[in-house]
Amino acid sequence: MGKKEKKSKTAEQKARIAAKQNKKAIQKVKKAKLKDEDNDDVDLQAVLDEYSKQSSCGPPSPRSSATFIGSPSSNKELFLFGGEYYNGVLATFFNDLFIYLIDKDQWRKVTSPNSPLPRSGHAWCRSDHGTNIYLFGGEFSSPKQGTFYHYNDFWKLEPSTREWTRIETKGKGPPARSGHRMTHFKNYIVLFGGFQDTSQTTKYLQDLWIYDCRAFTWHNTDLPSGSQKPDARSSFSFLPHPAGAVIVGGYSRVKSTVATGKQSKGGKQGNRSILKPKIHKGRGILFGGVHDVEESEEGIDSEFFNALLAWNIERNRFFQLTLKRAKVTPKSQGDGRGTAKRARGKANEVELLGNLAALQTNGSIANAASETLQLDTDMPDVSTKLAKPVLNVMPHPRFNAHLAVQDDVLYIFGGTYEHADAEYTFDEMWAIDLGKLDGVHEVYRRELDHWQGSDEEESDSQSENAESDDEDEDDGVQSDDLSPSAEKKGQPASEAPGGADQEQTEAAIVDPRPQPRPFENLRDFFNRTSLAWQDTVLEALRHDGDLDKTVKELRKTAFDLSEAKWWDSREEIIALEDEQEEAGIGEVINIADRDNETGGGIGRKR
């Protein structure tokens, strides 16, 4: 009996030991899995870090038509995205995201392969709940601005992680455009205005679109025919309001007869004004602007402003904000000698106290000197702070300045000023305390770049471009190519650059007749190319010796030829349209077709 019990106990012990070992093995497997998952998480974070790198850098390069906003996730950060720079010869477009750290007075540049393509003239705003920033549209052109297009893509930026996400909305959204503005109202994003460039003309818009952040859909709001609504415009100020949104100023190229018999172009030019989710203490802030008057067909008289205005919501009135006079004496201004003397006196006092402490503790003066040096390293750098002056006057007049407000401080970035035929982009940033109004504090300032354009160069380049564009239109090849990213994202084959194999390409062209373009219907195609088709018909009639047809018959035959060509090219054009829609690109426009307007491309519009 004792042996049986002993054997049973031994079996039970072996079973318990086996169960414990099995349990330990299972726990080891679980720990290994968790460890692997943790490693996967670490690897994923490393991948995300690679996709979203923040590097310390200097201030952004000069640019215009960018977007500037205070971060919704931190009141110590400002975001700047995109824009363009034109030096009179070439236009450069950007898609970099800069972050200004207010408390550290430092810039960070965020690079990510998932960011939107380079653009300017786009619009963005924060959502009402203050967690995301939404961006829509914009424009891009070739360096010489011979070809360009508008975007119709919609993006979301997560401020805390700096992550870009392209939003695929349900249903139809706003058409491609630039120069529009967006703001927020409750859980909606409100978009209004802008302009579209077509091969025939520039169309200014007055449509109103509302995006529901919860339902992820756009709604095109059609106001009743009898109700009032703003005229078509671009480059206006769009301010959030407790009851909706407020439009201030704007630009539209229209002609109207005035008392003096002159032609008036546009109206008050509103600048960019980006505020907090709640309007700053019940008021909107505006700075600068321009007013254009077209004195003749060749010249435009522009008046630039540098006034700082506040719009009171309750009273619906504008008030000019003026800087307060400095209370310090003139001797202590400018070079800051008085402050420097006080700093040196404080340093001497610290050194003296250190020496006395060393003598009292039977220490050496050398040790006291080292301690004093350590104290000096901890003292603030007075010379660095004094290097940035404070102005008692407003910055130079300008339009299209980028504004942002954080913690009652207005930040003014860049802006544009025109003199004669030159266009200067300011490379500077200023800060104004809206509560104190104690001066204009310089954040950074660099000298303006030299304008490379001139009247002779512009006239020569325009004539050369006109000749080259005429030749390219005949053979279907564009000499002014877009960026590599644009070529990948759906650049029409008829606009690819010639390159080294130009002779072979020309020899391979079988049909020299006009080619349809993406998003171009039959009617627009014939309106653009009717003269070319009529010339083709006349040449064929001369060859056959039959010139008895009427103008109506001639036009009918030309239309039949264009219709046949349009249908023959549909398969290829649809493929290009799909590629461009995937990239968020609208119609690609050639400036050579814009013979009814003057100017150097979209970058030169307001």
Side-chain angles (χ1 to χ4, degrees), residues 113-188:
N114 193 39
S115 62
L117 292 175
R119 67 190 65 205
S120 70
H122 51 283
W124 72 1
C125 71
R126 66 180 72 188
S127 57
D128 186 63
H129 45 79
T131 56
N132 297 311
I133 299 175
Y134 293 88
L135 181 147
F136 180 84
E139 63 192 32
F140 177 81
S141 79
S142 57
K144 294 184 179 179
Q145 298 186 323
T147 54
F148 63 92
Y149 51 72
H150 298 279
Y151 292 102
N152 64 346
D153 49 354
F154 193 36
W155 293 81
K156 180 179 71 174
L157 173 65
E158 175 62 37
S160 58
T161 62
R162 287 74 156 121
E163 293 285 337
W164 285 102
T165 304
R166 182 170 178 179
I167 302 176
E168 300 296 339
T169 58
K170 303 175 183 178
K172 183 180 179 182
R177 67 187 66 198
S178 56
H180 53 290
R181 296 292 184 266
M182 297 197 308
T183 189
H184 62 82
F185 175 71
K186 296 183 179 179
N187 61 304
Y188 302 101

Side-chain angles (χ1 to χ4, degrees), residues 308-477:
L308 181 63
L309 301 174
W311 174 69
N312 187 282
I313 296 177
E314 297 179 355
R315 302 175 63 180
N316 191 22
R317 289 186 59 186
F318 282 93
F319 299 92
Q320 184 169 351
L321 301 179
T322 56
L323 300 174
K324 296 179 181 178
R325 294 184 178 181
K327 297 181 180 180
V328 294
T329 58
K331 292 183 180 180
S332 62
Q333 296 181 9
D335 56 359
R337 294 176 182 174
T339 307
K341 289 181 179 179
R342 289 193 297 272
R344 288 195 297 270
K346 186 174 182 180
N348 294 334
E349 182 181 355
V350 172
E351 182 180 2
L352 179 59
L353 293 175
N355 293 338
L356 291 175
L359 292 174
Q360 291 176 359
T361 57
N362 296 325
S364 63
I365 300 297
N367 295 334
S370 62
E371 293 178 3
T372 303
L373 291 175
Q374 181 65 30
L375 291 173
D376 290 341
T377 56
D378 296 336
M379 291 177 62
D381 190 356
V382 179
S383 60
T384 303
K385 293 184 179 180
L386 293 175
K388 297 182 179 181
V390 179
L391 304 182
N392 292 322
V393 295
M394 291 295 177
H396 192 282
R398 68 194 68 193
F399 73 96
N400 206 19
H402 307 80
L403 306 185
V405 176
Q406 281 284 44
D407 280 347
D408 297 337
V409 178
L410 171 68
Y411 294 90
I412 304 173
F413 177 87
T416 305
Y417 180 77
E418 297 172 353
H419 179 69
D421 293 333
E423 179 181 298
Y424 299 99
T425 302
F426 288 98
D427 190 6
E428 60 192 29
M429 181 170 165
W430 304 91
I432 301 176
D433 191 317
L434 297 176
K436 300 178 180 178
L437 293 175
D438 55 350
V440 182
H441 300 258
E442 177 185 306
V443 178
Y444 79 90
R445 183 175 182 270
R446 294 180 295 212
E447 295 298 326
L448 298 176
D449 291 340
H450 178 67
W451 178 258
Q452 299 183 18
S454 64
D455 295 339
E456 295 180 358
E457 292 176 354
E458 288 179 359
S459 60
D460 295 339
S461 62
Q462 287 178 1
S463 61
E464 292 175 1
N465 290 337
E467 294 176 0
S468 62
D469 289 340
D470 291 338
E471 295 175 358
D472 294 340
E473 190 174 2
D474 292 338
D475 59 17
V477 179

